[in-house]
Amino acid sequence: MMKDSLSDYFRCWWRGSPLMNMVSILIGILIFLGALYFKNFLVHYGDHQDLVSKTYPYGIDLIPFVGVLVALLMFVVLQLYQRSRLRGQRLSVANTSLLKMSLAIEQSPTVIVITNTQGDIEFVNPKFTELTGYTPEEAIGKNPRVLHTDQTPPETIQDRWKPLTAGKIWEGKFVNKKKNGELFIEVAKISPVRNPEGVVTHYIAIKENITEKRKVEKELAESQTQLFQTAKLATLGEMSTGMAHEMNQPMAGISLAVTT
């Protein structure tokens, strides 16, 4: 355990600023050399040995040791400063990333809903309000089933929990109802959100309103069907005209023979 702590410390130390690391080492070396020089100075200060012995009653041999302690203290102070500065930089980067993520969610063109593991809504983005008519204050704390209608098959709602509780992504389609009662169709992709320990704590749903898309597809299919029917009738008309023309030719010959 102690070995792992030391390895983590030195790993964090070497990840820091190389310049600050070199400065802290040089300061420690200079303090130690200064202590050795001071010791030698006192040893050769022969004219005032009594003063030296009274000033340093424990002996001048302890001076290098004190210098080492001061050097270590300076080293620790510089390292604490460096780690504090790096922590502040990481926090700033994390806050910037969090701000970007928040803005991206807020300005997303798709509906984003975050619920807890019980399915209760904890967050909705502005697109949710724009689509459903429910404000965040009205939606938070409620279950998304307030939007459901009987036009969504019950098995669709029930089956989505199987992959989600297993930690997998679920995709499906809902026919939901707005606050004003208007129906709309949306496709949803729901995925679990895990904490650093890997435990699922929330679910995030990304939804897209495809009502207009389905309407256009339906109109296009109807137009294609109508064109097919028109083309079919035109073909039948041409065939009947050709058959009538072929039948008229023998009849004309018979009429000519009778006349002569």
Side-chain angles (χ1 to χ4, degrees):
M1 190 73 176
M2 186 67 177
K3 183 178 179 180
D4 294 338
S5 300
L6 289 174
S7 62
D8 291 340
Y9 174 80
F10 283 110
R11 191 181 301 114
C12 294
W13 178 61
W14 283 113
R15 284 177 182 174
S17 171
L19 179 61
M20 183 64 72
N21 292 335
M22 292 300 299
V23 168
S24 60
I25 293 173
L26 288 175
I27 290 177
I29 293 174
L30 290 175
I31 292 176
F32 179 70
L33 292 176
L36 288 178
Y37 176 81
F38 186 56
K39 172 192 172 183
N40 293 330
F41 174 78
L42 292 178
V43 168
H44 295 89
Y45 194 53
D47 296 338
H48 300 84
Q49 290 294 328
D50 294 338
L51 178 62
V52 171
S53 60
K54 291 179 180 179
T55 307
Y56 304 98
Y58 298 102
I60 60 177
D61 290 335
L62 292 178
I63 293 177
F65 179 73
V66 174
V68 171
L69 290 180
V70 173
L72 288 175
L73 179 61
M74 290 294 297
F75 180 81
V76 170
V77 169
L78 288 174
Q79 290 302 312
L80 289 176
Y81 167 75
Q82 179 176 334
R83 294 180 67 177
S84 175
R85 183 172 58 85
L86 291 175
R87 190 179 296 112
Q89 291 176 351
R90 294 193 189 100
L91 184 60
S92 177
V93 172
N95 289 336
T96 302
S97 299
L98 185 61
L99 178 60
K100 291 179 181 179
M101 187 181 300
S102 176
L103 291 175
I105 292 175
E106 291 286 335
Q107 300 175 20
S108 173
T110 58
V111 173
I112 297 179
V113 179
I114 299 177
T115 69
N116 57 24
T117 53
Q118 285 73 42
D120 299 324
I121 297 175
E122 293 189 357
F123 172 84
V124 294
N125 68 338
K127 193 66 178 180
F128 174 89
T129 301
E130 178 184 336
L131 175 62
T132 66
Y134 288 97
T135 63
E137 291 76 16
E138 294 172 325
I140 292 175
K142 294 184 178 179
N143 194 285
R145 70 171 64 97
V146 297
L147 303 174
H148 293 171
T149 66
D150 54 5
Q151 295 192 31
T152 301
E155 56 269 18
T156 299
I157 299 175
Q158 296 172 359
D159 293 346
R160 65 177 175 172
W161 287 109
K162 294 179 182 178
L164 290 177
T165 52
K168 300 179 181 179
I169 297 176
W170 178 88
E171 296 184 42
K173 183 183 69 175
F174 297 101
V175 180
N176 285 342
K177 181 175 61 176
K178 300 181 181 180
K179 185 178 179 180
N180 60 8
E182 180 183 350
L183 299 181
F184 66 96
I185 306 172
E186 65 178 2
V187 291
K189 178 180 287 188
I190 307 176
S191 60
V193 179
R194 295 179 174 84
N195 61 14
E197 287 74 30
V199 179
V200 176
T201 59
H202 295 83
Y203 298 109
I204 180 169
I206 301 176
K207 306 179 180 182
E208 180 183 2
N209 181 15
I210 61 170
T211 306
E212 290 299 322
K213 181 180 178 181
R214 286 299 176 89
K215 183 179 178 181
V216 171
E217 290 176 351
K218 183 179 179 180
E219 292 176 351
L220 181 60
E222 291 176 352
S223 298
Q224 290 176 343
T225 302
Q226 186 176 359
L227 288 173
F228 176 75
Q229 294 294 338
T230 303
K232 184 177 180 180
L233 291 174
T235 303
L236 290 174
E238 291 177 359
M239 291 176 62
S240 62
T241 302
M243 291 176 64
H245 178 68
E246 291 177 357
M247 292 177 64
N248 288 333
Q249 285 182 347
M251 294 298 295
I254 294 172
S255 298
L256 181 60
V258 172
T259 304
T260 56

